[in-house]
Amino acid sequence: PCNEWRGYTLQPKDKALPFKEYFKPVNYVRSTGVGASIMGVALCVGMLITPFAEDLFTYLTHHQPLALLVLVVIAGAIAKITNIK
């Protein structure tokens, strides 16, 4: 609701809409629902992959030559995808 209130107060005075016309609860609910869904999915995926990432980083910490090779391969793949020469 703070974004809507801020937008309402920052309207140009010559084009200002009344509060009942400016604030649309349907848009607010949709925006809030989409934002909450995105955050929920991101947190869920993060919780799911964290144990695997911790294991991978622990393994690579103990096998540094392999870690360097993985880093070079990833950097090369990114360079190839983005066409950096």
Side-chain angles (χ1 to χ4, degrees):
C2 292
N3 285 335
E4 286 80 8
W5 181 256
R6 181 184 53 153
Y8 175 74
T9 57
L10 293 175
Q11 292 183 86
K13 298 297 178 194
D14 57 335
K15 298 179 183 179
L17 296 173
F19 184 76
K20 287 187 177 188
E21 288 180 34
Y22 185 83
F23 183 72
K24 297 178 177 80
V26 173
N27 293 348
Y28 167 70
V29 170
R30 182 182 63 225
S31 173
T32 303
V34 169
S37 298
I38 291 170
M39 183 62 69
V41 169
L43 288 170
C44 181
V45 169
M47 286 178 54
L48 290 173
I49 67 169
T50 296
F52 300 109
E54 287 177 345
D55 291 343
L56 174 66
F57 289 126
T58 301
Y59 180 81
L60 291 177
T61 300
H62 294 97
H63 299 86
Q64 291 183 355
L66 179 62
L68 183 60
L69 177 65
V70 169
L71 182 64
V72 169
V73 168
I74 291 173
I78 291 172
K80 185 165 180 89
I81 290 170
T82 58
N83 292 324
I84 297 175
K85 296 179 181 178

